[in-house]
C-alpha cells in the first residue's frame, strides 16, 4: 500500500512538472511588459491611470498581432507608493518575471530608487512624468517634460505676453520643486529680475491651510507691478490653494497662477469655476483638436467604460513611450536592452497634439510646449504654444553646476554626465 | 435697429443652414428694432469686424474689440459680456455670432447674440467657441466698465469706476470727469473724485495740487494710494529725493506713517484670525478624538478615516440633491454624524471591545482598520479625489477695508467648531448619557456595580466620538481635498492637540487647538510653513517632558 502511495505521488509529481514545463514553454512565446505603478497608497491617485493606459496600449498592440510575432503580456506589480519597494519590485520584474521593458514610476524619488537596480540588471524603464532634469541614465527613457520643456516656456509666456514683473515661486517641499525653482530663479535673474521681485515659498506635502501664504502673495502683488505665481505645488495641495485664492478674491487677471502639476485629472476633483483663467503648462491637453487625439480619447473612454474619464499629459507621455519602444524593438529585431537602447535614439512617434516627437541622444524627447487656461468645465484650453519642437535638456543650462554637462548616449561619448569643458565622463551620480 | 440690420447682413452672408434657422429668428425681429437706434453705416462697418473676430488669433482679438467698441458702442455690451464669460460662439457655416446657455437639463442652448433669438441645441460640430485669454478678459472688463460708467445701474457704475481706477490714463480721467458732471449717486461720486485725486497725485507737477490730492486721499488704505505716495519719497541713484519740494515730502511721510500703522494693526488682527481659524480646524478634527481617546482611553488610529467618511457623505449628499447645493451642507451634517457614528459603533462592537485593556493591540488593530477603510474607498469609490461643491454663501470674503478681509468659509468653520464643542460639552455635562460616560471612564467596576450598562455606554461613546469626527469631515470637505488619504493629514494633529491639552479634558482640547493654531500662524511668516510645523512639534515634545499630563491634567482619584 505504501509502495502504491509512493508510486502515485511520483506520478503526480512528474505530471505536475510536465504541465509546469508546458506552461513555461507557452509563456516563452510572449514578451513581458512590466508595469510599475502604485495602485495603493498616496500616489495611487495619479498612477492607477497610467497603469490602465499601458494595459490599453498592450491590448491594442496585441490586436494588431503583437510584436515580433509574439503577444505582449503585461506584468502588473504594486509598489504601493513605498519608495524602497519600487526597487524591490523592479528587481522582481527583471530577475523573476523576465520583463523586457518596464513602464513606471511617477515621483522622482521612486525613479531614483529604481535606478541602481535598473543599471545593475541592465533593465529598461520608460518614465512618463515631467521632472526636474539633472539626470540621464542609459537604462531610462524620459518621455515627460524636463524643465526647459515646461517651466522655462511658461515663464517666457508670463514675461512676454502678460508682462509679469514680480514672481512668486511656490512649491511643495521636495526635490522636483526645489530644483525647478533653483533653475527658474537663475533664469529670472539672468533676465534682469531683481531679488526683491522674487518670493520663494515651500510648503509640506498635502498642505491645506493656505490663508497666510495667499495673504502674503496678495500683499506681494500690491506694489503696482504685475505679479504671477509659478506653482510647483504637488497635486493634492492645489485644491485648497486655489480655493483660498478664489476666496480671498484673487482672480486670474489680478495674479495669474501657472502650474506644472495640475492637469485634467487633478482638475476633475475640483469645482473649477473660481479657477477660470489660471494657467498650466504641459505638452498635451485633452482639449487639443485633432484626429489622433480624438481617437485616443474615444479609445480611453471605451477601455475604462467611463464616458467622463479625462486624459492627461503623463498619459500622452506613456503613449509616446510605448509607440517608440514598439518601433525600436521592430527596428532592432529583438528586445535585448542594449540593442533597443541604441535603436531608440532618433525614433519618432506621432504626438497626440499633432506633429511628431523625436527621441534625442540624451534619452529625452523633442516635443511641443503648450500653455493652457483652465476652463469652467475642468478642461484646459490652449492660449499659447511654441513655434516648433523643444528638445528636452537632461542638464539645465541655468544651473552653475550643470552648465557644461551634456548627456549623449551615442558613440563616441556614450555618457549621461559628460563635461564638455574637461572632456570627462563623471559617470552617473546619484 | 442695429441688431436687426446685423442680423440681416449675417443672414444674407449665410448659407442654407442659417437660412433654415432664420425662420425661427424672423418673427422676433420687430420687437428688437425699437430698442436702439443707429444708422446703416455703422452696421455695415460692424459685420466685417464680427467676421474678423471669429477668425482672429488670440493676439489680434484685442484690436478688433477696440474697433467694435468704437463703432458699435453700447450695443456691443452683450457681446463683450458673453465673451468675458467664455460663452461666445459662432456658427462654423456662416460666422453668425451666438452665445451658449445651459438649460436645466444641462443641454447647451444657443441664441443669437444681438436679437437673442433662440437657435436651439446646435450640434457641437456646427459651432466654435470664440476663444478668450486672461489678457483679453482684462481688456473686456475695462471695455465693459467704460460702457457701464454711463449706462449701468448704481452698483455697475461704482464697479466701473473701481475697475477704471486700476489703470488710470488721461483718457479714462476725461471719461470719469465727464461722468462726474451727471453723476447723482453719492458713493459713485466719491469714488470718481478719489480716482481723479489719485491721478493728480501720480502726474501733477506743482506743489499745491499735490497737497490737495494728498488731503483728498487722506484716510484711504487703497494700495494704489500707498504706491503713489511711495513714489513721491523715492530717491534717485545719487541718494537725493526725486520730489524736490520738502512740504510735499513731509505731508507724504506723515500720511505713509499713518497708513503703515494701520497696516500693522490689521496685519496683527489678520494673523490672529488665521491662527484661530487654523485652530478651529484642529479643534474639529481633535474633538472626536478627545472623546474616544481622551475619555474612553482608546488609541483610535482610524479616527482620521471617520473624518474621511464624513467628507464622502457630504459628497454623496450633494450627488443626491444637485439642485439644492446651497442647502446640501445642512443635510450633510446629520447624515455624516449618523454614517460615521454607525461605522464607529460597528468598529467598537467587532474589534475594540474585544481588545479592552490592551492599548498596544488596539493601536495596531485600529491602524489596520484605517488602512482597510482607505483602500475600500480607493477600490469601491475611486482612487481620485471627489469634487465637493462649496455653496455660494461660503465662498468669497467679507471685505472690511482694502487691507483687511476675512474669508467666509473660515468664519463659518470657526463658528461651527465652537457650536460643536459646546454642544458636546452640554451632552457630557447635562445628559444622562454624559453622566454615564463620565462614570464609566472614571471607575468602570464601580459604575457597573451601580447598574450602568458599561458595554452600551462604551458603544454609545465611541459612536458619539466617531459621529463628531464625521461632522468635522463635512466642514473639512469645504476647505481641502476629499480623497482616500485625507484622514491621514489630521490624525497626527488630532493626537497632538489632545495630548497637549490634557487627556480627558475637553477644555484642554479647546485651548490646545487654538494655541497651537495661533502659534503656527505667527511662526509661519518668519520660518515658512515646513519649519513652523516642526517647531510646534518640538515645542510639544519639550512641553510634554515638563508636564506629561498636558495643559489641564485631570485631578483627583479619577486621574489614575
Amino acid at each position: 500500500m505504501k509502495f502504491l502511495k509512493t508510486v502515485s505521488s511520483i506520478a503526480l509529481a512528474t505530471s505536475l512538472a510536465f504541465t509546469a514545463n508546458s506552461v513555461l514553454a507557452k509563456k516563452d512565446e510572449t514578451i513581458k511588459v512590466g508595469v510599475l505603478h502604485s495602485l495603493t497608497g498616496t500616489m495611487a491617485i495619479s498612477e492607477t491611470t497610467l497603469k490602465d493606459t499601458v494595459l490599453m496600449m498592450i491590448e491594442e498592440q496585441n490586436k494588431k498581432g503583437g510584436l515580433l510575432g509574439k503577444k505582449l503580456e503585461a506584468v502588473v506589480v504594486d509598489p504601493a507608493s513605498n519608495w524602497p519597494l519600487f526597487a524591490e519590485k523592479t528587481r522582481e520584474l527583471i530577475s523573476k518575471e523576465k520583463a523586457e521593458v518596464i513602464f513606471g514610476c511617477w515621483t522622482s524619488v521612486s525613479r531614483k530608487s529604481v535606478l541602481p537596480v535598473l543599471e545593475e540588471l541592465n533593465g529598461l524603464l520608460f518614465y512618463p512624468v515631467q521632472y526636474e532634469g539633472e539626470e540621464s541614465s542609459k537604462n531610462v527613457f524620459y518621455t515627460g517634460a524636463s524643465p526647459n520643456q515646461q517651466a522655462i516656456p511658461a515663464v517666457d509666456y508670463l514675461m512676454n505676453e502678460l508682462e509679469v514683473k514680480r514672481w512668486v515661486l511656490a512649491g511643495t517641499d521636495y526635490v522636483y520643486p526645489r530644483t525647478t525653482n533653483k533653475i527658474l530663479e537663475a533664469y529670472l535673474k539672468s533676465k534682469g529680475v531683481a531679488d526683491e521681485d522674487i518670493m520663494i515659498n515651500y510648503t509640506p506635502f498635502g498642505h491645506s491651510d493656505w490663508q497666510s501664504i495667499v495673504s502674503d502673495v496678495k500683499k506681494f502683488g500690491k506694489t503696482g507691478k504685475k505679479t504671477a505665481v509659478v506653482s510647483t505645488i504637488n497635486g493634492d495641495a492645489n485644491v485648497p490653494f486655489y480655493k483660498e485664492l478664489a476666496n480671498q478674491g484673487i482672480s486670474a487677471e489680478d495674479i495669474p497662477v501657472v502650474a506644472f502639476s495640475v492637469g485634467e485629472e487633478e482638475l476633475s476633483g475640483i469645482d473649477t469655476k473660481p479657477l477660470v483663467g489660471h494657467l498650466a503648462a504641459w505638452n498635451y491637453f485633452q482639449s487639443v483638436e485633432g484626429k489622433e487625439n480624438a481617437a485616443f480619447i474615444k479609445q480611453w473612454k471605451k477601455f475604462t467604460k467611463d464616458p467622463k474619464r479625462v486624459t492627461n499629459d503623463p498619459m500622452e507621455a506613456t503613449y509616446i513611450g510605448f509607440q517608440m519602444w514598439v518601433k525600436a524593438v521592430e527596428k532592432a529585431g529583438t528586445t535585448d536592452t542594449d540593442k533597443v537602447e541604441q535603436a531608440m535614439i532618433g525614433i519618432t512617434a506621432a504626438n497626440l497634439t499633432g506633429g511628431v516627437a523625436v527621441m534625442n541622444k540624451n534619452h529625452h524627447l523633442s516635443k511641443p510646449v503648450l500653455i493652457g487656461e483652465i476652463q469652467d468645465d475642468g478642461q484646459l484650453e490652449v492660449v499659447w504654444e511654441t513655434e516648433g519642437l523643444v528638445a528636452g535638456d537632461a542638464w539645465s543650462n541655468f544651473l552653475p553646476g550643470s552648465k557644461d554637462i551634456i548627456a549623449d548616449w551615442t558613440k563616441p561619448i556614450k555618457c549621461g554626465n559628460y563635461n564638455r569643458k574637461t572632456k570627462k565622463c563623471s559617470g552617473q551620480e546619484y | 435697429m442695429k441688431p436687426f440690420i446685423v442680423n440681416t447682413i449675417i443672414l444674407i452672408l449665410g448659407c442654407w443652414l442659417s437660412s433654415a434657422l432664420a425662420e425661427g429668428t424672423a418673427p422676433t425681429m420687430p420687437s428688437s428694432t425699437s430698442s436702439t437706434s443707429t444708422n446703416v453705416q455703422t452696421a455695415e462697418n460692424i459685420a466685417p469686424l464680427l467676421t474678423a473676430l471669429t477668425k482672429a488669433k488670440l493676439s489680434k482679438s484685442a484690436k478688433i474689440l477696440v474697433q467694435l467698441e468704437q463703432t458699435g458702442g453700447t450695443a456691443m455690451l452683450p457681446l463683450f459680456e458673453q465673451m468675458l464669460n467664455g460663452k461666445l460662439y459662432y456658427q462654423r457655416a456662416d460666422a453668425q455670432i451666438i452665445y451658449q446657455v445651459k438649460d436645466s437639463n444641462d443641454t447647451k442652448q444657443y441664441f443669437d447674440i444681438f436679437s437673442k433669438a433662440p437657435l436651439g441645441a446646435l450640434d457641437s460640430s456646427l459651432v466654435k467657441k470664440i476663444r478668450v485669454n486672461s489678457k483679453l478678459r482684462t481688456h473686456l472688463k475695462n471695455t465693459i466698465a467704460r460702457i457701464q460708467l454711463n449706462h449701468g445701474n448704481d452698483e455697475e457704475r461704482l464697479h466701473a469706476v473701481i475697475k477704471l481706477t486700476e489703470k488710470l490714463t488721461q483718457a479714462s480721467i476725461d471719461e470719469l470727469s465727464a461722468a462726474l458732471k451727471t453723476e447723482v449717486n453719492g458713493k459713485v461720486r466719491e469714488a470718481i473724485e478719489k480716482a481723479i485725486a489719485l491721478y493728480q497725485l501720480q502726474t501733477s507737477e506743482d506743489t499745491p495740487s499735490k497737497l490737495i490730492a494728498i488731503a483728498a486721499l487722506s484716510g484711504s488704505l487703497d494700495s494704489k494710494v500707498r504706491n503713489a505716495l511711495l513714489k513721491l519719497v523715492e530717491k534717485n541713484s545719487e541718494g537725493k529725493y526725486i520730489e524736490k519740494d520738502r512740504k510735499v515730502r513731509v505731508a507724504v511721510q506723515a500720511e505713509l506713517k499713518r497708513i503703515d500703522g494701520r497696516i500693522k494693526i490689521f496685519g496683527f488682527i489678520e494673523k490672529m484670525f488665521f491662527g484661530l481659524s487654523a485652530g478651529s480646524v484642529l479643534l474639529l478634527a481633535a474633538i472626536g478624538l478627545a472623546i474616544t481617546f481622551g475619555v474612553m482611553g482608546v488609541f483610535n488610529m482610524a479616527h482620521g478615516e471617520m473624518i474621511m467618511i464624513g467628507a464622502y457623505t457630504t459628497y454623496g449628499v450633494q450627488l443626491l440633491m444637485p439642485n439644492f447645493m446651497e442647502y446640501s451642507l445642512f443635510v450633510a451634517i446629520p447624515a455624516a454624524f449618523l454614517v460615521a457614528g454607525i461605522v464607529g459603533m460597528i468598529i467598537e462592537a467587532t474589534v475594540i471591545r474585544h481588545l479592552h485593556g490592551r492599548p498596544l493591540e488596539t493601536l495596531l488593530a485600529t491602524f489596520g482598520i484605517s488602512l482597510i477603510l482607505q483602500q475600500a474607498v480607493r477600490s469601491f469609490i475611486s482612487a481620485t479625489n471627489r469634487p465637493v461643491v462649496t455653496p455660494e454663501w461660503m465662498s468669497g470674503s467679507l471685505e472690511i477695508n482694502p487691507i483687511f478681509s476675512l474669508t467666509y468659509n473660515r468664519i463659518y468653520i470657526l463658528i461651527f467648531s465652537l457650536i460643536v464643542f459646546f454642544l458636546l460639552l452640554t451632552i457630557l455635562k447635562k445628559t444622562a448619557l454624559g453622566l454615564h460616560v463620565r462614570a464609566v471612564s472614571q471607575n468602570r467596576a464601580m459604575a457597573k456595580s451601580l447598574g450602568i450598562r458599561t458595554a452600551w455606554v462604551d458603544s454609545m461613546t465611541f459612536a458619539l466620538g466617531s459621529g463628531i469626527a464625521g461632522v468635522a469631515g463635512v466642514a473639512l470637505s469645504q476647505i481641502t481635498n476629499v480623497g482616500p488619504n485625507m484622514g491621514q493629514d489630521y490624525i497626527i494633529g488630532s493626537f497632538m492637540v489632545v495630548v497637549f491639552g490634557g487627556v480627558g479634558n475637553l477644555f484642554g482640547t479647546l485651548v490646545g487647538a487654538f494655541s497651537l493654531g495661533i502659534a503656527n500662524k505667527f511662526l509661519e511668516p518668519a520660518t515658512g510653513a515646513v519649519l513652523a510645523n516642526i517647531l510646534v512639534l518640538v515645542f510639544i515634545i519639550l512641553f510634554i517632558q515638563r508636564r506629561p499630563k498636558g495643559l489641564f491634567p485631570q485631578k483627583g482619584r479619577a486621574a489614575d
Side-chain angles (χ1 to χ4, degrees), chain B residues 312-333:
Chain B
Y312 271 91
T313 311
T314 316
Y315 169 67
V317 166
Q318 290 196 339
L319 280 188
L320 291 176
M321 43 191 294
N323 298 324
F324 301 96
M325 278 303 171
E326 301 296 296
Y327 312 106
S328 58
L329 293 187
F330 297 106
V331 181
I333 291 169

Side-chain angles (χ1 to χ4, degrees), chain B residues 1-3 32-39:
Chain B
M1 189 74 175
K2 192 184 307 134
S32 61
T33 49
S34 56
S35 56
T36 48
S37 61
T38 180
N39 52 46

Side-chain angles (χ1 to χ4, degrees), chain B residues 286-428:
Chain B
I287 197 169
L289 198 74
I291 297 181
T292 52
F293 173 59
V295 178
M296 286 176 76
V298 173
F299 282 100
N300 181 19
M301 295 298 284
H303 176 72
E305 278 55 50
M306 297 296 133
I307 296 177
M308 174 190 79
I309 287 173
Y312 271 91
T313 311
T314 316
Y315 169 67
V317 166
Q318 290 196 339
L319 280 188
L320 291 176
M321 43 191 294
N323 298 324
F324 301 96
M325 278 303 171
E326 301 296 296
Y327 312 106
S328 58
L329 293 187
F330 297 106
V331 181
I333 291 169
F337 183 80
L338 285 178
V339 174
I342 289 168
V343 173
M345 217 190 283
I346 295 170
I347 293 174
E348 203 275 336
T350 51
V351 180
I352 292 168
R353 176 171 304 174
H354 307 289
L355 297 171
H356 190 77
R358 289 183 287 184
L360 268 183
E361 278 151 77
T362 318
L363 187 123
L364 287 177
T366 50
F367 185 60
I369 292 172
S370 103
L371 292 180
I372 291 169
L373 287 174
Q374 280 175 45
Q375 196 56 35
V377 168
R378 261 183 222 119
S379 306
F380 298 118
I381 301 180
S382 166
T384 53
N385 290 339
R386 299 287 92 190
V388 172
V389 179
T390 306
E392 202 64 43
W393 52 271
M394 270 190 94
S395 320
S397 52
L398 174 70
E399 194 172 308
I400 293 166
N401 62 41
I403 52 167
F404 183 55
S405 53
L406 303 173
T407 49
Y408 282 119
N409 62 348
R410 297 285 178 173
I411 299 176
Y412 287 124
I413 286 173
L414 181 58
I415 297 171
F416 182 67
S417 70
L418 290 174
I419 293 175
V420 171
F421 177 81
F422 285 107
L423 212 63
L424 192 68
L425 207 63
T426 324
I427 291 176
L428 283 184

Side-chain angles (χ1 to χ4, degrees), chain A residues 167-186:
Chain A
W167 304 84
V168 181
L169 308 180
T172 302
D173 203 1
Y174 73 110
V175 54
Y176 167 65
R178 282 209 178 250
T179 317
T180 308
N181 284 347
K182 226 186 262 169
I183 294 171
L184 286 181
E185 198 187 350

Side-chain angles (χ1 to χ4, degrees), chain A residues 39-45 48-49 157 160-163 173 201-213 215-216 218-219 222-224 226 235-240 243-244 246-249 251-254 256 265 268-271 276-279 289 373-377 381-384, chain B residues 58-59 84-87 92 102 128-129 131-135 137-138 141 163 166-167 223-224 227 263 267 270 273-275 277-279 281 374-375 378 383-390 394-397 402-403 405-410 477-481 485 489-490 521 524-525 528-530 533:
Chain A
L39 310 178
T40 52
T42 345
M43 291 311 296
I45 182 171
T48 14
T49 309
Y157 171 78
N160 302 331
E161 299 286 317
L162 301 184
E163 286 146 16
D173 203 1
N201 184 290
Y202 292 105
T203 39
F205 268 98
H207 190 67
S208 63
D209 193 339
W210 290 92
Q211 299 179 86
S212 8
I213 291 163
S215 159
D216 284 350
K218 202 172 161 185
K219 278 175 208 139
K222 270 194 176 166
T223 55
K226 178 85 180 174
D236 250 16
N238 276 297
V239 180
K243 268 191 183 172
E244 192 63 42
N247 280 334
Q248 294 205 15
S251 74
E253 288 98 62
D254 305 329
E265 182 97 19
S268 70
I270 319 182
D271 174 20
V276 171
H278 286 304
L279 304 152
E289 288 175 9
E373 275 187 11
I374 298 173
Q375 305 294 305
D376 58 1
D377 57 355
E381 202 170 59
V382 179
V383 288
W384 184 84
Chain B
L58 277 172
S59 52
L84 179 65
N85 296 333
K87 298 288 175 213
R92 280 180 198 265
K102 273 192 189 163
K128 192 160 166 46
K129 187 173 170 181
R131 293 195 299 163
V132 58
N133 60 14
S134 70
K135 210 174 177 183
R137 264 186 228 110
T138 313
K141 277 188 178 169
K163 194 77 216 160
E166 278 174 18
K167 216 169 195 177
S223 65
K224 289 184 285 294
N227 291 336
I263 288 179
E270 190 184 42
F273 175 73
F274 287 163
S277 138
V281 170
Q374 280 175 45
Q375 196 56 35
R378 261 183 222 119
T384 53
N385 290 339
R386 299 287 92 190
V388 172
V389 179
T390 306
M394 270 190 94
S395 320
S397 52
I403 52 167
S405 53
L406 303 173
T407 49
Y408 282 119
N409 62 348
R410 297 285 178 173
S477 75
Q478 294 303 311
I479 51 172
T480 184
N481 294 290
N485 306 325
D489 300 337
Y490 295 98
K521 286 294 152 186
E524 203 180 286
V530 183
N533 280 353

